[in-house]
Structure formats: C-alpha cells, structure tokens
Amino acid sequence: MPSERRYVITLTCPDTTGIVARIAGFLAGAGGWIVEAGYHSDVDSGWFFTRQVVRADSLPFEVDELRRRFAEVAAELGGQATWTVTDTGVPKRAVLLVSKEMHCLHDLLGRVAAGELPVKLEAVIGNHDALEGVVRAHGVEFHHVPFPAGPDGKAAAFAEMGQMVDKYQPDAVVLARFMQILPPWLCERWAGRALNIHHSFLPSFVGARPYHQAHARGVKLIGATCHYVTADLDAGPIVEQDVIRVDHGDTVADMVRRGRDIERLVLARGLRWHLEDRVLVHGNKTVVFR
Amino acid sequence: MPSERRYVITLTCPDTTGIVARIAGFLAGAGGWIVEAGYHSDVDSGWFFTRQVVRADSLPFEVDELRRRFAEVAAELGGQATWTVTDTGVPKRAVLLVSKEMHCLHDLLGRVAAGELPVKLEAVIGNHDALEGVVRAHGVEFHHVPFPAGPDGKAAAFAEMGQMVDKYQPDAVVLARFMQILPPWLCERWAGRALNIHHSFLPSFVGARPYHQAHARGVKLIGATCHYVTADLDAGPIVEQDVIRVDHGDTVADMVRRGRDIERLVLARGLRWHLEDRVLVHGNKTVVFR
Amino acid sequence: MPSERRYVITLTCPDTTGIVARIAGFLAGAGGWIVEAGYHSDVDSGWFFTRQVVRADSLPFEVDELRRRFAEVAAELGGQATWTVTDTGVPKRAVLLVSKEMHCLHDLLGRVAAGELPVKLEAVIGNHDALEGVVRAHGVEFHHVPFPAGPDGKAAAFAEMGQMVDKYQPDAVVLARFMQILPPWLCERWAGRALNIHHSFLPSFVGARPYHQAHARGVKLIGATCHYVTADLDAGPIVEQDVIRVDHGDTVADMVRRGRDIERLVLARGLRWHLEDRVLVHGNKTVVFR
Amino acid sequence: MPSERRYVITLTCPDTTGIVARIAGFLAGAGGWIVEAGYHSDVDSGWFFTRQVVRADSLPFEVDELRRRFAEVAAELGGQATWTVTDTGVPKRAVLLVSKEMHCLHDLLGRVAAGELPVKLEAVIGNHDALEGVVRAHGVEFHHVPFPAGPDGKAAAFAEMGQMVDKYQPDAVVLARFMQILPPWLCERWAGRALNIHHSFLPSFVGARPYHQAHARGVKLIGATCHYVTADLDAGPIVEQDVIRVDHGDTVADMVRRGRDIERLVLARGLRWHLEDRVLVHGNKTVVFR
C-alpha cells in the first residue's frame, strides 16, 4: 500500500471531446503529479468514466480546496456529471454484518490486521453471537442483534441494525455471508455502499442453496460473486467474480468447503476496490479501474 | 498419445461391496496390465462408475474375447449395469456439423492434423458452403446441406443430414458452432454421441446471443460449455466448462472474439474425453475420468 | 468433511500385475466399502502408488487389526513396498513455525476454527512474539524461541525449537512464512512431515526476495509453491503450486500483497492434502491423489 | 475488431508533471476523440508510458500530419522520448518462421482466416517443407530454406532467410516454434519485432526440452512464454505468459500435448498485442496496455 498520502478523483459524465484534456489540464495547472489514471469511454451508453490518483504533496492546497476547484471543472461537464474526491490519509470506515458462517469474517479480520485493506473496521453486527469472541480478540466492537422469527421481529431487528450501522457513517456495509435479505428501505439507504458476497457465479443459481443447485446441474466450475445490494435479490451491479474447478467427485459438502476459498477472495477483492474508489456504478453495471 | 494399443473398459452400475475386486481380479487373472484406473462411488445416487485401461499386449486374447468375458463379469453386477470395451487400435469416427463460424472447425482440423485427437474425421457437413475449401484442404469430405427457411425446409434438411451422418456410424457428432437446433428425433438418435459447444457458462445465458446477455448483465467472466445434446435446449449433461476474464472495456464484439479461445479449448477437451471413453453419462450429469 | 470414520490406506511399491486385485480382494474379503480409490502407475519409474479410503464401520475389526492384516498384503508385494494406514477418527497433529508475517498464520487459524482442516493444532512457535496474541485468542499454545544473531545462537535456538516440536509428535510441521532455513539435521528428522510455503513458482526465484526477482525479470504471473523441506533450499518435492496474474503496474509491494492470496491458498491446500494422506513422496516428486 | 479507422499513438519518456495534459490538450485542440487511453508511471524507473487511440474521422487531417504535429509535442518532452503513430487502416505485415511443429502455425492461420488478428500474413518460411501444403491452402506464400548441418550451412541459411524476411519489411517476425536459435545479427536487426514462443514459464526451464525439465522437477503447472527475441537465449522482454495444471499422471508426452494449448494462446495474445501497438519495451521489461 502506498505510504504517501494521495487524493483519488473519480468522475462519471456523458462522453464528449476534451474531458481528459480538461481534467489533466486542471491537475497540471495546479502542479499535480498523477500516479495512476484510468479512463473508460463506453461506446454503447455514450458515458465517460475516469479515476485519477494524485500525490497529495504535489498540490499546494488541501483536499477541501481540491474538492472546491474540481467541482468547478465537473460543473463545466454538464449537470449529469457525478464525482468524488477522497483523501487516502483519511481511512474509510466499514461495518460488517455476519451470521454464523465465519470464513469471510476471519479472512477480513486477518486482512485488516495485516494492513492489507485501507479501512477502519468500526464494528461487526451479528444476528447470532457465535462470532463475538474472535471479533473482540481483534479489538473490534461486536453487536448482537437477534432476529426473531416472524416478519414483525425481523422488521424490528432491521430497524435496530440500521440505526446501529448508520451511527458509524460507514463507507462500506459488508454482508459477509449475512444470510438475511435486506429490506428495500435499507437497500435504498445503503445504495452503492452495501456489498454482498453470493456463493454462486451469478446470474446462475440465484437465491438459496446455490451449491445444491450447482451440484444438481452438474456444472464443472463453481463460483462466487461480489455485488452491490439492491432491492432485487442477487441482481445488483457485479463488482467481482471468480470460479474454481469441481468434478463429479465433489459432494455438496465439498463444494461448500471449496467454494469458501473463492468467496473469501472475491469479497476481499471487491471490498478493496470499493474502498480504493476503483468501482464506478452506472445503471446496473460497474466500471472497475483495477 | 500412447502408441501401444490399449483396451478401455467402462462400467456403470449400482454400487455394492466388491466391484473393484471383481473387475481387478478378472483382469489380473487374465494377466492384464492396468495402466490407468478411475473409480467413482456416488454417495448421493448409490451408483458406481469405473474406467480401466489395459495394455492390449498384456492379454492373451483379442478385444472380442475381452468383451465376451467382461460381459459375464458385468452380468454378475446386476441387470442395470452398462459397460463398454473399446480398442484404441480402432480409431473412433467423427462427423462435424458447421455453419459459417470457422474458429472451432479450424481448431479441430488443426488438432486432427497434429495427431492430438484419436479420431478419424469422416466428414464435415455445413448448412452453408463457406468452409468447404479449408475442409477439403485437410483432405476431409465436405457436404453442403442448405437449410431453407421455414419449418418444412428445415425438416427436410435435417432428414437429409441425419441420413448422411448415420452413413458414417460416427462415435461422435460434433456441433462445432452449428447454430441450428437439432430436432428431437435426432437428439434421440444421437443420444450420448452428439456434443455441442455453447458460448456461455451454463446454466447462465441459455439460448440465443449469450455474449449479448453477458454484456448486458455486466458479468466479470465469460465462459463456454461443452455438453451432450438433448431435446432440452442447452440443458444436456455438461462435459466441460471454462471461463475467461472480461472487464468493462470489453464490448460485445470483444467478448465474441475473446470467447472463441474458450470455445475452442472447451470443445477440444470435451471431444477428446468423449473419444477416449472418459465420459460416463448418468441421468443429466457426467462422470469424467480425466 | 466426512463425519463418519474412515480408514485411509496408502501404498507405494514397484509395479507389477495384480496389485489392484490383491488389495481390492483383501478389502472385499473383509467386507470393506471403498469410498475413494486412487491409483497411479508411473511408467517412467516402474512404480505403483495407491490410496484407498474405506468406511470404518464396514470392517469387522479395528484399525490395529487392519494394519496387521494389510502388513501381510504389503509384504507379498516385496521388500520395497511402503504403506500407511490411518484412522480419520484420530485427528492429525500439527505444529506451526512462524516469524512476523501473519497472513498464512491467520488463514490457517481461521480454517482450523471453521473446521476446514482435519487437524489438531498443537502449538505455534515463533522466533518473534508478535503473533502470540492472535494465536492465544484461538486457544492455541504459543512458544517464543528468540533467534539470536550469529550461528551459535541460531544453533541453540533450533535445538530448543526441535525439542519443543518433537514433544508434540506432530504429523505436520508447517513453516508458515517462517523465514529461517532449517538446519540439515531438522530437515532429516522431519523428512516428509515439514511443509514450507515459498513465495515463488519454483524452480524460478529460489532463495531470498523472490518478488523482487520476479519484478526485475518482468514476469506476467507470480506464484507460490508448497513443498516438503529438504536440506537443499527450496528444492524439495513439490506438493502444490499456483499463480496469479500481475502486470507492469504492480510494484514489488503490490506483488507482495497480491502474492499473499496465493501463498495462503497453496499452503492450505498442500497442508490439507498432506493431512488427508493424499501426498505420496517418491524420490524428489510427489503423487497427489486429489 | 473495430471497423472504423483509428490512429494509435504510443509514447515513452522520462516522467514529469503535465505530460498527460500536454498530449490530451493537443488531441482535444485538434478535435480528437479518444476511444482508448492507457497510462503508466513507473515509480521505480521514473519513466512514463502511454498509448492513446483516436478515431481517425475525428481529426481534420491525415496520419502524416498527425505524425508531424505529434513529433513537436514529443520534442517538448525531451530528447529521450520515443513515440509511434500508426493507422489501423494500414494492416501490419507479419512473416512466420516455422519448422515441423504445426500447432502454432495452424492456430495463427485459423485466426488470420477468421479475421481475429489485424495483420497481413506475408509469408511463412520453414527450414523444413512439411507445412507447405497447409500454408498454401490458406493462400499464403511459403518459402523453404533448408538448414544444412554444421555452422557454415546454418550461417548461409540464416543469411538467406534474413534477406527473404526483410524484403517484406514486416512489423512482426514470429518464431512459431521455429526451434532454431537466431544469430545475434538477426536478433539485432529485428529487435522489438521478433516474437518467440518458449514452451515453459520463464525464467524456469530455459533452453532445450523444457517439458522434460518440468517433468523431472515435478512441477504442478506448466507454462508458455511469449517474448521478444534478444541475443540472450530465452531472456528477452516478456510479453505474455500463462500456465496450465498438470499432475503426477502426466507423462512428458502428455505435457507436450497439453502445453500446446497454452503455447497457442500465449503466442496469439502476444502477437495481437504487438500488432495493436499495446506493447512498449523498456529495458528488458514490457508495458502491455491490454
């Protein structure tokens, strides 16, 4: 990870000639040293996407001034332009939602401890308390929000959980094999911030027990998908996917065990890219500047 | 490829204690030198599958006698047992069905020329004649069977094509991006012998224009599937699958081009395994002894 | 993982006709239900390898009697035959050696906690104490054996560590990014039990700082190798390898971070296969019945 | 492949602030519509690399004028800057060198026929004539230059081959499993244009019979490497690499057969990127804008 501080700029706007020149000119005019730059012109939609990383010490002003000035540049690109400017010196905040499945949680805790993810892990919230011990051993807060059976109980639990999460103003809400379907109002509130890991190669095997579905169909690869949560189950914008080979000798239990390796990796990669502002959502698709 | 002659035995039967011992004992009793052996006990279905490869020169009799004797062994394993005994000294026969897409055809012709596939390529049949030249340059027969528009024309064309194919008594009928849906009676007649390559990672993106579907969904990997043809479109037993990474920069045209690399490989692997009697079909799934 | 108890038999011996029949006949005669069977005839060396898994409840005797009887079978196969019979009801024991690098340790602790590895983790021994906290949080013993500078200090430390490890009679001694080179007498003592993870695709980039070497050479994939430790540095029998794609944009620091994902996976797979008696060492190579 | 004409600009120069702005400003000033843009700042070497693709019809002048004007821009970036401007409307030219191994040749001929590679295949030159038939069937010239035994014979043959190749002024000289080591003067003459496919994952297994070396070492993956030819055997800048899994059951012959799939793909990808001006060589490494 870079130790020096950087500013990360992202921009999404309708494509037209001269955008790159406008942004590059603006940054060069301020003395900005660009260390990473990604561009994408989507010929189908006619939209333009970019992500630029500038060394903070190359600019003669702070991030707020950069935001103020970049807002002017973006304004020239039309009313549909959206943009972000973030400062790698200010760690992103994340909250994890978990149930009883521990492999993604363990993996993320280990990565945070090893300094692999640029994030402050604010809290873990579980609908069971089975994972409280390991979370606290990592010095992270754990909150237990039981999910009573029945729709009323769930609604109350989600209300409590929603308040709890929002208190941290997280940049990422990670459903680390949370196993509960978020209600539409939470999907809406956390739009573009809530990441789920689904244990299949979407769009195959939506919904419950995807490994059972995969086993029944006799596929030769199983996969996992990290996507933004939307009100449509398992249908949100895909951030990352990967697969692993299986064969006739793999039982459902083998697939469950082997699939965990892919779930861990895919969620960790998707979360990293999200935290590093590498993922730009447009419609139901993503541009990922890796 | 092995130059020495071998006999390949496959057996599918309900599982019970002692099957391996019975087969191994039979082969050892005849002096058979087993050079490859694969076993699979399916705990879910309670069925047993095996593939054994024996050096022909280690047995004191010919393949017909091996068949006669193995039939007795199989008979002891109950009326549901199915088995095959083939002789690698007798090349398998294949017929290819093609349209205008040339990449899988070129690839298979190249592999046959290089001696990579244990097969005699009897003929290529196309509903267009665009690929006749390259086929003949490889010394392979080409037949043009035009597919007139309208259901009657198609039915007549399939009848002609069916007769043409059956004349060769092929061990494999390969739909190398044939683009036409076989009528149920041909699916039935060629059951277990007709291999198709579908340009998606099934069960995602069944049917027409799978790359367009993949592009619209924003998946991060595209794939291909080699499967046996059944009357259910793209739903037959899967033999092999693979995927390749794509990103937001890939247009549908890029996906089409890049997907060809996976289609070529997946079809070539699936066909090789089929020809080497490595694929045992059971219900809608396959056991593949790689 | 299978919940029911199983016996795992492995055998290595010079190849000859009838071995499979002899073993299968022996097991069938005792009523043994074989649930997994792998065979390998190495045509180059003329050796034979097998691994058989039998349901414990299908045999009318205990593991000791199975060992006694199998010893007679093996004896018939000649004096060079080596074999093992293990009982999955008796967990294997492992000791981990670590330094300051935490990612493989975290990963293995997480897998043990999740029940993914059939092992009792007896202890972790570190030449630094940085990782003591997380180890104890998982309820595992941690021993700190400092490695003083200079050859005498190291020799004394290795002597202490050797005694400590041997006290546990471990089936696996795992160098989880231990960063110290074992002295020949420890390589000898733990032959076939000590597993190392090297952060390159061996035989490329032996020795120190392999990611720096990979970066300097400009390779397009980086890898990791799990191998048995021998007195020849990074030259022991390879159990498992894998790679991940890199490009010109990856600095050495990026490679270090991204390589960890492969190190974790490769070590976890290699260790799993070792613990499940899937790895048979012959000369400087391995047969891995996956 | 894009049907509309494009200009492809590449630039390599010492890094400094404002390069992107200078180039983007220049293109925007001329009305250029950038459809692809790749940038790389190498922090280790302090060099900057870019590749820009502009729609030809967006500029009010032809490629020669673009070259003239871009030369001025590049001149401002200092004397070490190197750059290219090419026109996708003018197909690149390639010559293939072959021996008896046919799989890469077949693959490339098939890709050219299918329109997958933006190239005019000018000629194939073989030191054997075994592949003449298939080459001519594709409508491509074939020249047979026998390589007599002994150094004098080889030197004369290389002289003849060198003249023959140079006559075509090829943008790419592809050693498609040519099996002969180019003399230093040809490496020099074709520097940055001669692509070789080596059948190992370099730097492992340099030189002769890499699959034999891989088999002897017991690696679990085999690979192939596409690299620019230099006077140092198998040590030139790497363009692309890939690997495929093998196991203990694979003989050297199996590795040879299976490795071909990787050789085909890696060479085809490397050649495509070279032809599309995606590969910038710097020292002994490459920047590949995929």
Side-chain angles (χ1 to χ4, degrees):
Chain A
M1 246 166 309
S3 47
E4 83 269 16
R5 213 169 128 208
R6 296 173 170 189
Y7 300 138
V8 180
I9 300 168
T10 73
L11 172 75
T12 301
C13 65
D15 201 1
T16 181
T17 302
I19 304 177
V20 177
R22 185 67 192 89
I23 299 171
F26 160 68
L27 289 171
W33 182 0
I34 301 170
V35 288
E36 267 186 81
Y39 298 91
H40 173 55
S41 290
D42 191 305
V43 291
D44 297 317
S45 67
W47 280 69
F48 173 84
F49 307 84
T50 187
R51 174 181 181 268
Q52 313 259 339
V53 183
V54 183
R55 285 184 60 153
D57 59 12
S58 70
L59 290 175
F61 42 70
E62 284 299 303
V63 68
D64 287 338
E65 180 64 13
L66 176 61
R67 279 201 191 97
R68 204 189 55 74
R69 296 192 186 192
F70 192 78
E72 292 173 14
V73 175
E76 297 169 24
L77 299 170
Q80 293 179 280
T82 58
W83 57 274
T84 61
V85 173
T86 58
D87 178 350
T88 64
V90 181
K92 299 283 179 77
R93 292 177 303 275
V95 172
L96 270 53
L97 309 186
V98 301
S99 183
K100 289 176 182 170
E101 284 274 358
M102 69 184 71
H103 58 285
C104 283
L105 174 67
H106 272 147
D107 185 68
L108 293 177
L109 289 172
R111 287 173 192 271
V112 171
E116 287 181 34
L117 287 170
V119 73
K120 173 154 179 11
L121 197 49
E122 297 280 2
V124 177
I125 303 175
N127 62 341
H128 295 275
D129 60 2
L131 303 176
E132 176 162 2
V134 65
V135 172
R136 293 203 183 280
H138 275 84
V140 175
E141 286 182 35
F142 183 91
H143 303 294
H144 179 206
V145 178
F147 271 55
D152 288 357
K154 282 214 181 185
F158 274 121
E160 182 185 350
M161 182 177 268
Q163 276 196 313
M164 214 173 256
V165 168
D166 288 346
K167 195 183 59 184
Y168 295 105
Q169 297 183 287
D171 301 287
V173 181
V174 183
L175 284 67
R177 296 297 309 274
F178 176 51
M179 315 299 280
Q180 299 286 333
I181 298 170
L182 289 194
W185 67 273
L186 277 181
C187 295
E188 177 68 25
R189 182 178 301 183
W190 298 336
R193 289 185 293 152
L195 283 169
N196 184 44
I197 180 74
H198 182 73
H199 39 313
S200 85
F201 181 70
L202 290 173
S204 288
F205 312 135
V206 166
R209 294 159 63 96
Y211 291 125
H212 287 78
Q213 296 182 53
H215 189 262
R217 181 61 186 91
V219 293
K220 301 301 185 185
L221 302 163
I222 54 173
T225 303
C226 174
H227 64 94
Y228 286 107
V229 178
T230 61
D232 264 351
L233 181 64
D234 299 332
I238 293 172
V239 179
E240 170 65 342
Q241 303 186 287
D242 214 337
V243 295
I244 195 170
R245 191 163 279 275
V246 291
D247 69 20
H248 56 265
D250 287 297
T251 61
V252 170
D254 292 327
M255 289 185 175
V256 167
R257 174 179 55 75
R258 301 189 56 207
R260 285 177 185 160
D261 280 339
I262 292 299
E263 295 167 37
R264 280 185 265 243
L265 285 178
V266 166
L267 178 57
R269 287 202 294 254
L271 176 57
R272 151 173 286 276
W273 296 339
H274 173 79
L275 294 169
E276 295 181 346
D277 297 304
R278 296 182 182 278
V279 188
L280 276 60
V281 178
H282 193 246
N284 203 41
K285 296 171 69 170
T286 61
V287 173
V288 182
F289 292 112
R290 290 186 295 155
Chain B
M1 245 166 312
S3 49
E4 84 268 15
R5 210 169 130 210
R6 294 173 173 190
Y7 300 139
V8 181
I9 301 169
T10 74
L11 171 75
T12 301
C13 65
D15 201 1
T16 181
T17 302
I19 305 177
V20 178
R22 184 69 192 88
I23 299 170
F26 160 68
L27 288 171
W33 182 0
I34 301 170
V35 288
E36 265 187 84
Y39 298 91
H40 174 54
S41 290
D42 192 303
V43 291
D44 296 317
S45 67
W47 280 69
F48 174 85
F49 307 83
T50 187
R51 175 182 181 267
Q52 312 261 339
V53 184
V54 182
R55 287 184 59 155
D57 61 10
S58 69
L59 289 176
F61 43 71
E62 284 299 303
V63 68
D64 287 339
E65 179 65 12
L66 176 60
R67 279 200 192 98
R68 203 188 58 70
R69 296 192 187 191
F70 192 78
E72 292 173 15
V73 174
E76 297 167 25
L77 299 170
Q80 293 179 280
T82 58
W83 58 274
T84 62
V85 173
T86 58
D87 178 351
T88 64
V90 180
K92 297 284 178 78
R93 292 178 302 274
V95 172
L96 269 53
L97 308 187
V98 301
S99 184
K100 289 176 181 172
E101 284 274 359
M102 69 183 71
H103 57 286
C104 284
L105 174 66
H106 272 147
D107 185 68
L108 293 178
L109 289 171
R111 287 172 192 272
V112 170
E116 286 180 36
L117 287 170
V119 72
K120 174 158 179 9
L121 197 49
E122 298 280 2
V124 176
I125 303 175
N127 62 340
H128 294 275
D129 60 3
L131 303 176
E132 176 161 2
V134 65
V135 172
R136 294 203 183 279
H138 275 85
V140 175
E141 287 183 32
F142 183 92
H143 304 293
H144 179 205
V145 178
F147 271 56
D152 288 358
K154 281 214 180 185
F158 272 122
E160 183 186 350
M161 182 177 268
Q163 275 195 314
M164 214 172 255
V165 168
D166 289 346
K167 196 183 62 183
Y168 296 105
Q169 297 184 288
D171 301 287
V173 181
V174 183
L175 284 69
R177 297 298 310 273
F178 177 51
M179 313 300 280
Q180 298 286 333
I181 297 170
L182 291 194
W185 67 274
L186 276 181
C187 296
E188 176 69 25
R189 182 179 299 184
W190 297 335
R193 289 186 293 152
L195 282 169
N196 185 44
I197 180 75
H198 183 74
H199 39 314
S200 86
F201 180 64
L202 291 174
S204 287
F205 311 134
V206 167
R209 296 160 60 96
Y211 292 125
H212 287 77
Q213 297 181 54
H215 189 263
R217 181 61 186 94
V219 292
K220 300 302 183 185
L221 302 163
I222 54 172
T225 302
C226 175
H227 63 93
Y228 286 107
V229 178
T230 61
D232 264 351
L233 181 63
D234 299 331
I238 294 172
V239 179
E240 171 64 342
Q241 304 186 287
D242 214 338
V243 294
I244 196 170
R245 191 164 281 274
V246 291
D247 69 20
H248 56 265
D250 287 297
T251 62
V252 171
D254 292 327
M255 288 185 177
V256 167
R257 174 180 54 76
R258 302 190 56 208
R260 285 177 185 160
D261 280 338
I262 292 300
E263 296 168 36
R264 279 184 266 244
L265 284 178
V266 166
L267 178 57
R269 286 202 293 255
L271 176 57
R272 152 173 286 275
W273 296 339
H274 173 80
L275 293 169
E276 295 181 346
D277 299 303
R278 295 181 183 278
V279 189
L280 277 61
V281 178
H282 193 244
N284 203 42
K285 297 172 68 172
T286 61
V287 173
V288 182
F289 292 111
R290 290 185 295 155
Chain C
M1 245 166 312
S3 48
E4 83 267 15
R5 213 170 129 209
R6 295 172 173 192
Y7 300 137
V8 181
I9 301 169
T10 74
L11 171 75
T12 302
C13 65
D15 202 1
T16 181
T17 301
I19 304 177
V20 177
R22 184 68 191 88
I23 299 171
F26 161 68
L27 288 172
W33 182 0
I34 301 171
V35 287
E36 265 188 83
Y39 298 90
H40 174 53
S41 290
D42 192 304
V43 291
D44 296 317
S45 67
W47 280 71
F48 173 85
F49 307 83
T50 188
R51 175 181 181 268
Q52 313 260 338
V53 183
V54 183
R55 286 185 59 155
D57 61 10
S58 69
L59 289 176
F61 42 71
E62 284 299 303
V63 68
D64 287 338
E65 179 65 13
L66 176 60
R67 279 201 191 99
R68 205 189 56 71
R69 295 191 187 192
F70 192 77
E72 291 173 14
V73 174
E76 297 168 25
L77 299 170
Q80 292 178 280
T82 58
W83 56 274
T84 61
V85 173
T86 58
D87 178 350
T88 64
V90 180
K92 298 283 178 78
R93 292 178 300 276
V95 172
L96 269 55
L97 309 186
V98 301
S99 184
K100 288 176 182 171
E101 284 274 358
M102 71 184 69
H103 58 285
C104 283
L105 174 67
H106 272 148
D107 185 67
L108 293 178
L109 289 171
R111 287 172 192 272
V112 170
E116 286 180 34
L117 287 170
V119 73
K120 173 158 181 3
L121 197 48
E122 298 281 1
V124 177
I125 303 175
N127 63 341
H128 294 276
D129 59 3
L131 303 176
E132 176 161 1
V134 65
V135 171
R136 293 202 184 279
H138 275 83
V140 175
E141 286 183 34
F142 183 91
H143 304 294
H144 180 206
V145 178
F147 271 55
D152 288 358
K154 282 214 178 182
F158 273 122
E160 183 186 348
M161 182 176 268
Q163 275 196 314
M164 214 173 254
V165 168
D166 289 346
K167 196 182 60 185
Y168 296 105
Q169 298 183 286
D171 300 288
V173 181
V174 183
L175 284 68
R177 296 297 311 274
F178 177 51
M179 313 299 280
Q180 299 287 332
I181 297 169
L182 289 195
W185 68 272
L186 276 180
C187 296
E188 176 68 25
R189 183 179 298 183
W190 297 335
R193 289 186 293 153
L195 282 168
N196 185 44
I197 180 74
H198 183 73
H199 39 312
S200 86
F201 181 69
L202 290 175
S204 287
F205 311 134
V206 166
R209 296 161 60 97
Y211 291 125
H212 287 78
Q213 296 182 54
H215 189 262
R217 181 61 187 92
V219 292
K220 300 301 184 186
L221 302 163
I222 54 172
T225 303
C226 175
H227 64 92
Y228 287 107
V229 178
T230 61
D232 266 351
L233 182 64
D234 299 331
I238 293 171
V239 178
E240 171 64 343
Q241 303 186 287
D242 214 336
V243 294
I244 195 171
R245 190 163 281 273
V246 291
D247 70 18
H248 56 265
D250 287 296
T251 62
V252 171
D254 292 328
M255 288 185 177
V256 166
R257 175 179 54 75
R258 301 190 55 209
R260 284 177 186 159
D261 280 339
I262 292 300
E263 296 168 35
R264 279 185 265 243
L265 284 178
V266 166
L267 179 57
R269 287 203 293 254
L271 177 57
R272 153 173 285 275
W273 296 338
H274 172 80
L275 293 169
E276 295 181 344
D277 297 303
R278 295 182 183 277
V279 188
L280 276 61
V281 178
H282 193 244
N284 203 42
K285 297 171 70 172
T286 61
V287 172
V288 182
F289 291 112
R290 290 185 295 156
Chain D
M1 244 166 313
S3 48
E4 84 268 17
R5 210 169 130 208
R6 295 172 172 191
Y7 301 137
V8 181
I9 301 168
T10 74
L11 171 76
T12 302
C13 65
D15 201 1
T16 181
T17 301
I19 304 176
V20 177
R22 184 69 191 87
I23 299 171
F26 160 68
L27 288 171
W33 183 359
I34 301 171
V35 288
E36 265 186 82
Y39 298 92
H40 173 55
S41 290
D42 192 304
V43 291
D44 297 317
S45 67
W47 280 70
F48 173 85
F49 308 83
T50 187
R51 174 181 182 269
Q52 313 260 338
V53 183
V54 183
R55 286 185 59 155
D57 60 11
S58 70
L59 290 175
F61 42 72
E62 284 299 301
V63 67
D64 288 338
E65 179 65 12
L66 176 60
R67 281 201 190 97
R68 204 189 55 72
R69 296 192 185 191
F70 191 77
E72 292 173 14
V73 175
E76 297 168 24
L77 299 170
Q80 293 179 281
T82 58
W83 57 275
T84 62
V85 173
T86 59
D87 178 350
T88 64
V90 181
K92 297 285 178 75
R93 292 178 303 274
V95 173
L96 269 53
L97 308 187
V98 302
S99 183
K100 289 176 180 170
E101 284 274 357
M102 70 183 70
H103 57 285
C104 283
L105 174 67
H106 273 147
D107 185 68
L108 293 177
L109 288 171
R111 287 172 192 272
V112 170
E116 287 179 35
L117 287 169
V119 73
K120 172 156 179 11
L121 197 48
E122 298 280 1
V124 176
I125 303 176
N127 62 342
H128 294 275
D129 59 4
L131 303 177
E132 176 161 2
V134 65
V135 172
R136 294 203 183 279
H138 275 84
V140 176
E141 287 182 35
F142 183 91
H143 304 293
H144 180 206
V145 179
F147 271 55
D152 287 358
K154 282 214 178 183
F158 273 121
E160 182 186 349
M161 182 176 269
Q163 276 195 313
M164 212 172 255
V165 167
D166 288 346
K167 197 183 59 184
Y168 295 106
Q169 297 183 288
D171 301 287
V173 181
V174 183
L175 285 67
R177 296 299 309 273
F178 177 50
M179 315 299 278
Q180 299 286 333
I181 298 170
L182 289 195
W185 68 273
L186 276 180
C187 296
E188 177 67 25
R189 182 178 300 183
W190 297 335
R193 289 186 292 153
L195 282 168
N196 185 44
I197 179 73
H198 182 75
H199 40 313
S200 85
F201 181 65
L202 291 174
S204 287
F205 312 134
V206 166
R209 294 159 64 93
Y211 291 126
H212 288 77
Q213 296 181 53
H215 189 263
R217 181 60 186 94
V219 292
K220 301 301 184 186
L221 302 163
I222 54 172
T225 303
C226 175
H227 63 93
Y228 287 107
V229 178
T230 61
D232 265 351
L233 181 64
D234 299 331
I238 294 172
V239 179
E240 170 65 341
Q241 304 187 286
D242 214 337
V243 294
I244 195 171
R245 192 163 279 275
V246 292
D247 69 18
H248 56 265
D250 287 297
T251 61
V252 171
D254 292 327
M255 288 184 177
V256 167
R257 174 179 55 75
R258 302 190 55 209
R260 285 177 184 159
D261 280 339
I262 292 299
E263 296 167 36
R264 280 185 265 242
L265 284 179
V266 166
L267 178 56
R269 288 202 292 254
L271 176 57
R272 150 173 287 276
W273 296 338
H274 173 80
L275 293 168
E276 294 181 347
D277 298 303
R278 296 182 183 278
V279 189
L280 276 61
V281 178
H282 192 246
N284 202 43
K285 297 172 68 172
T286 61
V287 173
V288 182
F289 291 112
R290 288 185 296 156

